[in-house]
Amino acid sequence: MPVLIEVEALASNPETVRLLVGLGRIRADLQLGMLVLGEPSAEAHFSHPLTEIFPGIAEGLLAAGVPDLGPALQALKAGGGKDVVRKNYLEAEKALLKARSMLNPSGEDATLAVVELAKGSAGLIDASGKTDAKAYQTAWAQLMVARGELDLLARSADLGLAKLAVAEAMALDEIILSMPDPNQTAPVIFDPAPILKLIERLEATDEAA
């Protein structure tokens, strides 16, 4: 059964946050597929969004007027040579970014989406020992997507929010740069404490808004 995206955080539009998180998780999977392009594991990353994530947000996206993402995701799932996959990835990425734009999230909603993506990432990392390589890769990819969301927030007309986004983007850059290379198969040791601190700061800002 498809996994429905659950978001409990309060927002000006919880449905928008839920859809943003879903789009972010799809983008994270596709990034991982490109990271390991040419390896057998790439197929799973390209298949997972279509079967496990997209079904949970498809109706919501349709209600928001977003064009069907199914064909773009299906093209990636179909595979092919590296050049074909790269072309289809760019098309899918374009469609996902257009979907995000059409949702037209408020600054609050976009901030909460970053929080949820970061929480998902931190939740995949075993703070007490070694993290399975696949879980670690997913955590890394979701942080990369969250970083892109902060870039978009930095363009906000709300100067306070834009300043916050710039500062947290720099903090997230430091976290990502400190993380071990995601392109590996061995279990990974990484302390998620910096991610949790970033989440605390973002949540505190949202509560104060």
Side-chain angles (χ1 to χ4, degrees):
M1 293 293 292
V3 176
L4 297 178
I5 308 298
E6 296 291 342
V7 174
E8 298 179 353
L10 297 177
S12 60
N13 189 338
E15 176 66 359
T16 298
V17 178
R18 187 182 78 89
L19 296 175
L20 282 176
V21 173
L23 292 174
R25 289 177 176 167
I26 290 174
R27 292 186 64 208
D29 251 328
L30 300 189
Q31 284 189 17
L32 288 176
M34 295 303 293
L35 179 71
V36 296
L37 186 60
E39 300 177 14
S41 57
E43 182 180 350
H45 290 303
F46 291 137
S47 299
H48 184 259
L50 188 63
T51 58
E52 301 295 332
I53 304 175
F54 180 59
I57 61 173
E59 288 189 10
L61 292 174
L62 181 63
V66 175
D68 184 14
L69 297 174
L73 297 177
Q74 186 64 53
L76 269 176
K77 182 176 182 289
K82 287 187 177 181
D83 289 341
V84 171
V85 173
R86 289 191 185 99
K87 178 179 180 297
N88 289 335
Y89 169 75
L90 292 175
E91 290 299 318
E93 181 73 356
K94 186 191 304 181
L96 288 162
L97 290 174
K98 181 179 179 180
R100 193 264 184 208
S101 177
M102 292 184 71
L103 291 177
N104 193 28
S106 67
E108 181 184 8
D109 292 337
T111 302
L112 284 167
V114 171
V115 169
E116 291 302 322
L117 288 167
K119 281 183 177 179
S121 177
L124 290 167
I125 298 174
D126 184 354
S128 63
K130 296 180 178 180
T131 300
D132 174 77
K134 291 182 179 179
Y136 174 75
Q137 288 175 343
T138 301
W140 174 86
Q142 288 189 180
L143 284 183
M144 293 293 288
V145 173
R147 175 64 178 81
E149 281 292 327
L150 287 173
D151 267 344
L152 294 174
L153 273 171
R155 305 172 194 171
S156 172
D158 182 331
L159 296 182
L161 181 59
K163 183 177 180 180
L164 168 74
V166 169
E168 296 304 339
M170 292 175 64
L172 189 48
D173 278 341
E174 291 184 7
I175 293 172
I176 293 171
L177 287 172
S178 72
M179 296 176 75
D181 184 350
N183 195 7
Q184 57 182 292
T185 57
V188 178
I189 297 176
F190 181 74
D191 185 354
I195 304 173
L196 297 174
K197 289 181 181 178
L198 180 142
I199 292 169
E200 288 178 3
R201 291 195 300 270
L202 289 172
E203 287 184 325
T205 301
D206 185 66
E207 290 171 1

